[in-house]
Amino acid sequence: MDIVYIRELQVQTVIGIYDWEREVRQAVSLDLEMGTDIREAAATEDIGNTLNYKSVSKRLTAFIEGSEFLLVETMAEEVAQLVMQEFGVRWLRLRLGKPGAIRGARDVGVLIERGEAF
């Protein structure tokens, strides 16, 4: 299994359970590892044969910016399902962080893994 990854994708969205959080946009940060097979893309040098990280990033940015969530857990589940369904990813690891949410901590969030490695 090969991995295509995206590191520290920053997106502004409405996230949180407190009233003030529902009125402002906050940054979330994503690290995403997606299991794939890059051999055909490497052999043909055809982007159509690969998992296009730019397409994934653009889709996730549009989805997250256009959504509102109470919990990072819910956002993580929905992001994972979107990537697996729309991009045919069979395995992924996602770190979804909410920078600055806790005083004294640079970041808090969740790390999830979905699907089966091949």
Side-chain angles (χ1 to χ4, degrees):
M1 177 177 71
D2 306 312
I3 295 176
V4 171
Y5 70 90
I6 299 167
R7 292 277 183 263
E8 296 185 25
L9 178 63
Q10 303 286 317
V11 184
Q12 297 288 320
T13 191
V14 175
I15 180 124
I17 60 171
Y18 299 109
D19 289 342
W20 71 266
E21 290 180 301
R22 309 304 302 155
E23 297 174 8
V24 299
R25 297 182 79 70
Q26 299 179 70
V28 293
S29 176
L30 289 85
D31 290 343
L32 183 59
E33 298 177 4
M34 301 166 285
T36 190
D37 184 338
I38 67 164
R39 290 177 288 194
E40 185 175 357
T44 63
E45 293 213 63
D46 181 351
I47 197 162
N49 293 329
T50 193
L51 177 56
N52 186 327
Y53 49 78
K54 182 176 182 179
S55 296
V56 174
S57 296
K58 288 178 79 171
R59 178 66 178 107
L60 289 180
T61 298
F63 172 71
I64 293 168
E65 285 179 343
S67 301
E68 294 185 7
F69 296 96
L70 295 173
L71 301 175
V72 293
E73 291 85 349
T74 307
M75 182 186 291
E77 281 295 333
E78 292 197 21
V79 164
Q81 290 305 311
L82 182 151
V83 171
M84 294 177 85
Q85 291 171 1
E86 292 188 20
F87 294 93
V89 171
R90 296 186 350 211
W91 172 90
L92 64 78
R93 178 179 296 129
L94 170 66
R95 184 204 56 83
L96 196 151
K98 193 173 168 186
I102 300 290
R103 188 175 317 208
R106 187 178 75 193
D107 194 18
V108 297
V110 297
L111 176 64
I112 66 171
E113 190 172 313
R114 296 292 180 265
E116 296 189 24
F118 52 97

